[in-house]
């Protein structure tokens, strides 16, 4: 009979000590010091990378916040103080209901006390970083001119310029709703013929609003700016020499956190390709460092109304066309308005 020898196991289970592998010797001396230095270096490097990433995100987040909340100075005057124009303070909700619009309504001048009130209104659509006064245009001078030409004038602040009810800048998305509300206000207060005079991003906003209403009879667009990623990056580069990548994608990603909207909400391509049914007058300078001339020319080239036109000013700078070339600017604008008025009268008396 053969006998099988079975090694005895510890009562608690597991392998007996004599069958376990020998433990590795713990590092000591120079080896232990090297391991500790290596671990410390990895920890420090990880912490530095996390700090750099946080700083990168915070920096671009701050830029996005500044874009959404530009500094706009408070109003310094009013139509009566600036030009002796009687006016009314007005306010109304935007077409979206998300913001409240505040402005001035300036009734047209009357030839005599018994003359009927004017049924023609021009709404000023101011640019980014400015309020309804927009002194460098200068807006009060234009308001005085239109008042004498027997136009009512509506001047108002977009939400990002409002100190009473501030809201973030959205590149025209919510601003177009505010402009639509201004148009509605004018129409419900006796306006038949309505024209929007836009400046910079206010001109781009006017084009966006015109996609959503048939209540506009003509547009004047001074230094037209239409928000797009390329235009945004070009303007940032005027102040900060940032690389396109990763700066532009990061800012685009962060803007919706502050505004609730992104560039995909702005119908830039539709605006560029649209032929509006009413007259459009595009006025732009060749030395405009803010709004690309190519965009203005592309939009102007799409227009088919026989009264539509463009005025490309050699050496003209952003929103300084009236201030630098006042006589020609006024002459061109007045002729355009007269032609629009004649066409409107012909269409509505036929």
């Amino acid at each position: 009979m053969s006998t099988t020898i079975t090694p005895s196991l510890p009562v608690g289970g597991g392998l007996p000590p004599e069958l376990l592998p020998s433990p590795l010797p713990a590092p000591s001396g120079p080896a232990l010091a090297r391991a500790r230095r290596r671990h410390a270096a990895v920890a420090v490097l990880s912490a530095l990378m996390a700090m750099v990433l946080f700083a990168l995100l915070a920096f671009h987040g701050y830029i996005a916040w500044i874009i959404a909340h530009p500094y706009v100075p408070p109003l310094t005057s009013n139509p009566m103080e600036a030009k002796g124009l009687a006016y009314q303070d007005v306010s109304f909700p935007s077409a979206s209901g998300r913001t409240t619009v505040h402005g001035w309504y300036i009734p047209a001048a009357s030839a005599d006390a018994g003359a009927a009130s004017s049924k023609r209104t021009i709404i000023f659509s101011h640019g980014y970083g400015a309020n309804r006064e927009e002194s460098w245009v200068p807006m009060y001078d234009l308001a005085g001119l239109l008042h004498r030409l027997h136009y009512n004038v509506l001047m108002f602040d977009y939400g990002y310029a409002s100190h009473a009810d501030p809201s973030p800048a959205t590149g025209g998305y919510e601003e177009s709703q505010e402009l639509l509300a201004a148009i509605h206000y004018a129409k419900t207060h006796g306006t038949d013929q309505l024209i929007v005079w836009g400046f910079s991003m206010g001109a781009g906003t006017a084009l966006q609003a015109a996609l959503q209403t048939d209540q506009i009879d003509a547009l004047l667009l001074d230094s037209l700016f239409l928000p797009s990623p390329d235009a945004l990056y070009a303007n940032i580069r005027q102040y900060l020499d940032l690389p396109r990548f990763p700066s532009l994608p990061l800012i685009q990603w962060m803007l919706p956190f502050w505004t609730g909207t992104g560039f995909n909400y702005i119908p830039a391509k539709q605006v560029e390709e649209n032929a509006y049914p009413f007259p459009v007058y595009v006025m732009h300078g060749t030395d405009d460092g803010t709004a690309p001339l190519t965009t203005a020319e592309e939009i102007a080239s799409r227009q088919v109304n026989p009264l539509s036109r463009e005025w490309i000013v050699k050496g003209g700078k952003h929103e300084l066309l009236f201030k630098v070339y006042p006589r020609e600017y006024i002459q061109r604008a007045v002729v355009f308005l007269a032609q629009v008025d004649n066409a409107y009268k012909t269409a509505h008396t036929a």
Side-chain angles (χ1 to χ4, degrees):
M1 174 186 291
S2 61
T3 303
T4 302
I5 301 175
T6 303
S8 61
L9 296 175
V11 176
L15 295 174
E18 62 270 16
L19 296 181
L20 292 174
S22 300
L24 295 174
S28 60
L32 179 60
R34 285 194 298 272
R36 287 177 174 173
R37 287 197 297 270
R38 185 164 54 251
H39 292 159
V42 171
V44 170
L45 184 60
S46 298
L48 286 174
M49 291 179 64
M51 290 175 61
V52 169
L53 180 60
F54 176 79
L56 185 68
L57 292 175
F59 174 70
H60 288 89
Y62 177 68
I63 293 176
W65 187 91
I66 290 294
I67 293 171
H69 301 87
Y71 170 72
V72 179
L75 297 171
T76 61
S77 187
N78 60 57
M80 178 57 74
E81 292 179 359
K83 290 293 177 180
L85 304 175
Y87 71 98
Q88 305 164 16
D89 288 307
V90 298
S91 63
F92 40 83
S94 74
S96 70
R98 288 191 290 266
T99 56
T100 300
V101 180
H102 298 271
W104 296 319
Y105 180 75
I106 307 170
S110 298
D112 56 71
S117 58
S118 175
K119 295 184 178 297
R120 303 183 304 169
T121 298
I122 292 183
I123 298 176
F124 285 152
S125 176
H126 69 77
Y128 175 83
N131 56 34
R132 70 187 88 160
E133 292 180 320
E134 203 152 4
S135 57
W136 56 81
V137 168
M139 210 75 94
Y140 284 124
D141 288 345
L142 284 178
L145 168 69
L146 296 173
H147 179 74
R148 294 190 298 273
L149 293 175
H150 203 50
Y151 285 93
N152 307 307
V153 178
L154 179 55
M155 306 168 68
F156 70 95
D157 290 333
Y158 283 117
Y160 60 80
S162 175
H163 287 259
D165 290 287
S167 60
T170 63
Y173 180 71
E174 175 60 24
E175 289 83 359
S176 66
Q177 302 305 299
E178 294 166 342
L179 179 54
L180 288 173
I183 292 170
H184 178 73
Y185 178 89
K187 284 290 186 177
T188 56
H189 285 75
T191 295
D192 288 337
Q193 182 188 148
L194 188 138
I195 298 168
V196 179
W197 198 328
F199 303 84
S200 190
M201 196 172 84
T205 297
L207 288 169
Q208 292 183 53
L211 294 174
Q212 306 171 59
T213 182
D214 60 358
Q215 299 296 301
I216 297 174
D217 296 299
L219 290 178
L220 286 93
L221 308 176
D222 183 334
S223 305
L224 164 62
F225 179 83
L226 188 63
S228 68
D230 288 339
L232 172 65
Y233 180 64
N235 278 273
I236 291 174
R237 283 291 302 273
Q238 293 185 39
Y239 303 96
L240 295 170
D241 189 17
L242 297 177
R244 187 180 182 89
F245 183 86
S247 292
L248 183 57
L250 281 175
I251 293 171
Q252 285 184 256
W253 175 63
M254 290 182 171
L255 270 174
F257 290 104
W258 306 122
T259 66
T261 63
F263 281 104
N264 55 316
Y265 288 89
I266 300 171
K269 188 172 182 60
Q270 188 179 357
V271 167
E272 289 182 355
E273 296 178 350
N274 193 54
Y276 293 87
F278 46 74
V280 177
Y281 196 171
V282 175
M283 300 178 284
H284 214 90
T286 59
D287 289 357
D288 192 321
T290 299
L293 174 61
T294 53
T295 300
E297 289 182 321
E298 173 66 20
I299 291 173
S301 69
R302 298 278 183 174
Q303 305 315 307
V304 295
N305 187 287
L307 294 182
S308 291
R309 64 190 63 187
E310 65 178 1
W311 178 35
I312 305 303
V313 184
K314 186 175 182 180
K317 300 186 184 300
H318 192 69
E319 288 194 273
L320 293 178
L321 304 183
F322 177 29
K323 201 166 188 176
V324 178
Y325 310 97
R327 184 183 299 275
E328 185 173 5
Y329 190 103
I330 290 173
Q331 287 176 342
R332 287 176 174 272
V334 169
V335 169
F336 177 72
L337 291 174
Q339 291 175 335
V340 169
D341 188 52
N342 288 335
Y344 180 87
K345 290 177 180 177
T346 300
H348 289 78
T349 56

